[in-house]
Amino acid sequence: MSIKDAHLQRLSVALKEIQCICTESIALTSDNPCVQKVCHCLDRVFLDGLRTPSRGYWDLLVELSHKDVIREIKASRYLLTNHGRARAWLFRALSESLLESYLASLAGDVPLLRKFYEPHALLANANRTRLLQTLLAGLEHCDLSCVSWATVTFLDVGCQDPARRDRHRGDTESSSSGSLSALPDPAEANSHPQASSTGSSQDQQPPSSSRSSSTMPPTDEQPDEPPQQQD
């Protein structure tokens, strides 16, 4: 299975999870793990095959979307990168049930596709794009009107699935508080194999401290021989 087909398969599973929990009496929100997983999968789809991956797909969305949508997202003080703004757009499009429509517009604009995507990109493939639209059509009976990007706090870092996001958040908080549970950075661990993740002065001591204490030369306060007991 190719990476592109794997993206679509994971998205299909995530969408089925939403369909299973949707009822007429339940309106899903951004905090729902299934909603976050869908946006995570869609993020991978839009990132696939970009001509300039480092810039993300925000520039594409600026040309594809209505100016009011772009203006609202750019006005946020909490979105500091174009990657975060693009992921916020995903949540908004999902809440308005417009993703399928946006994809249809993108598929019909060949010059726009060629401007931002390589020929091998997932969204540049007509068959995969139609399959993607078919998958998203399954959300038509789900109430996603309460989904809001404004309540999601990790968009600049990544549109992750909830389990990975919580691990990242826990590691960051532990590191900032000096907790013993903080995980070391892999690069630092390789360059300093004996350094502890807590960075304590005790962990930086040589491991042979017990041997050095036994060979330490005597001082005036500690004579070589114990004093003889007087009769």
Side-chain angles (χ1 to χ4, degrees), residues 146-158:
C146 293
V147 171
S148 172
W149 59 266
T151 62
V152 185
T153 58
F154 58 93
L155 292 176
D156 283 315
V157 177

Side-chain angles (χ1 to χ4, degrees), residues 41-117:
C41 295
L42 287 169
D43 185 48
R44 308 316 301 173
V45 167
F46 275 88
L47 286 171
D48 183 85
L50 283 170
R51 292 189 180 274
T52 312
S54 60
R55 292 186 59 84
Y57 52 95
W58 172 248
D59 293 338
L60 164 70
L61 301 180
V62 170
E63 298 193 28
L64 184 66
S65 308
H66 195 277
K67 292 183 179 180
D68 290 342
V69 175
I70 301 301
R71 188 182 301 112
E72 177 188 342
I73 295 177
K74 290 178 67 175
S76 173
R77 297 178 300 169
Y78 303 102
L79 298 173
L80 306 179
T81 66
N82 283 342
H83 292 282
R85 296 182 186 101
R87 292 158 186 151
W89 179 92
L90 286 177
F91 277 91
R92 180 185 174 113
L94 190 65
S95 69
E96 296 177 345
S97 301
L98 291 177
L99 275 172
E100 188 181 353
S101 176
Y102 278 125
L103 287 171
S105 299
L106 181 59
D109 195 337
V110 177
L112 187 63
L113 276 172
R114 291 177 177 175
K115 179 179 179 180
F116 290 99
Y117 285 102

Side-chain angles (χ1 to χ4, degrees), residues 1 5 13 16 35 37 69 74 84 87 91 102 115 119 137 148 150 153 157 160 164 174 188 192 202 205 211 223:
M1 178 185 296
D5 292 332
V13 172
K16 287 179 181 178
V35 173
K37 188 181 297 185
V69 175
K74 290 178 67 175
R87 292 158 186 151
F91 277 91
Y102 278 125
K115 179 179 179 180
S148 172
T153 58
V157 177
Q160 301 173 353
R164 292 179 60 189
S174 299
E188 294 181 358
H192 304 287
Q202 182 178 0
Q205 295 292 337
R211 182 178 62 185

